[in-house]
Amino acid sequence: EKHMGETIPVARISEQLTEMKQATGDNEYKADGQVGEGEIAMSWKSGRFRAHAPGSPPPEGNPPTYCYVGKTEVNGKAFLYVSFVCMDPNLDGLIANYNGGPGDSINYDDGVEIYLDTNFDRKNYYELMVNCRGLYVGHDHPDPNTHNRWNVTPQIKTSINKQAGQWSCEALIPFDQLGGVPAKGSRWAVNFVRNYRGQSSRRADTQVQSWFEVYKGKDQLHRPDLFGVFQW
């Protein structure tokens, strides 16, 4: 649909994801770092990410990245499930320097990002950044130019599968830290990002990728006015 002159994708999340019942076996969401076939089958699927770069549309991300979203209950508590499968031809080259210390930046690691504007005002949004070791940073943005610490407590697990040539990330985010379980028909503005070899302009092999392209002449991911839409 059109928004401020731009064509914005709308993902209408299937009804089965609103049942909020704990599935069993292969049909269970688990933050174990392994994105299983059952989890993929239950989830909304992003398709292959595209490079955060010029183009109409921009080129497909290389190496490929895929994202899956659902929701579930764990011990009676409701969670948003988000997972990423990140293909990588050289897993020994993964960058993971962030340790949470003063001056450390997770932006320059191989990692993923989740952007969630849960009140759909296209101004205030949450950002969760996770590196390939499973360390994370949460920000609450009152607007794109400001951020505060977001004391989110997700369940996160990453894994590296050299045989498959990929690393994966799974995150379970409590809905009560996102304003509650979305009502049927409600809308969120969202985006999902992968930082391949980080966001360093000093490296020629970096590539930022996203579900929905928000590139407007510069490397600026913080464009809630251009995020895609989830309609629950």
Side-chain angles (χ1 to χ4, degrees):
E1 63 188 38
K2 290 291 185 179
H3 174 72
M4 297 180 65
E6 302 288 341
T7 301
I8 303 295
V10 178
R12 290 176 171 85
I13 307 304
S14 66
E15 181 68 16
Q16 75 176 74
L17 298 182
T18 69
E19 294 179 359
M20 298 304 299
K21 63 184 180 182
Q22 180 70 25
T24 59
D26 291 339
N27 295 323
E28 181 182 9
Y29 288 119
K30 296 177 291 186
D32 60 3
Q34 309 292 329
V35 184
E37 292 182 3
E39 290 168 321
I40 291 174
M42 293 190 297
S43 300
W44 168 82
K45 304 161 186 64
S46 68
R48 185 169 174 173
F49 281 17
R50 292 189 175 272
H52 184 63
S56 298
E60 290 185 328
N62 187 28
T65 309
Y66 304 91
C67 179
Y68 307 98
V69 181
K71 55 185 181 180
T72 190
E73 283 188 355
V74 179
N75 297 323
K77 186 171 184 176
F79 288 84
L80 174 70
Y81 169 87
V82 184
S83 65
F84 297 80
V85 174
C86 304
M87 308 305 294
D88 196 316
N90 179 21
L91 290 165
D92 290 332
L94 285 171
I95 299 173
N97 296 323
Y98 175 76
N99 289 305
D104 282 356
S105 176
I106 202 169
N107 299 63
Y108 303 121
D109 285 357
D110 277 278
V112 294
E113 301 183 54
I114 301 168
Y115 292 83
L116 303 169
D117 171 9
T118 60
N119 60 16
F120 202 56
D121 65 358
R122 294 195 174 276
K123 180 181 178 182
N124 171 243
Y125 56 98
Y126 299 107
E127 175 192 14
L128 181 64
M129 306 179 69
V130 186
N131 75 0
C132 55
R133 293 174 53 203
L135 299 178
Y136 67 89
V137 174
H139 291 145
D140 180 358
H141 294 264
D143 59 69
N145 299 312
T146 310
H147 71 267
N148 303 313
R149 182 176 178 180
W150 178 29
N151 293 316
V152 63
T153 55
Q155 299 178 29
I156 291 177
K157 182 70 175 177
T158 58
S159 68
I160 296 172
N161 185 334
K162 289 192 174 183
Q163 184 175 0
Q166 66 186 40
W167 70 272
S168 302
C169 172
E170 290 189 301
L172 288 173
I173 306 172
F175 271 116
D176 62 11
Q177 297 175 10
L178 293 168
V181 178
K184 183 178 179 180
S186 63
R187 288 182 156 202
W188 289 5
V190 304
N191 207 5
F192 306 99
V193 170
R194 176 189 180 182
N195 298 316
Y196 174 69
R197 301 297 184 259
Q199 297 182 12
S200 175
S201 60
R202 298 186 296 271
R203 294 179 59 98
D205 58 346
T206 61
Q207 185 182 80
V208 177
Q209 306 175 11
S210 62
W211 166 51
F212 182 58
E213 180 262 332
V214 292
Y215 185 91
K216 296 299 172 189
K218 60 180 180 179
D219 296 332
Q220 172 59 276
L221 293 166
H222 295 268
R223 292 293 305 267
D225 56 318
L226 297 178
F227 289 173
V229 175
F230 268 18
Q231 181 166 306
W232 296 98

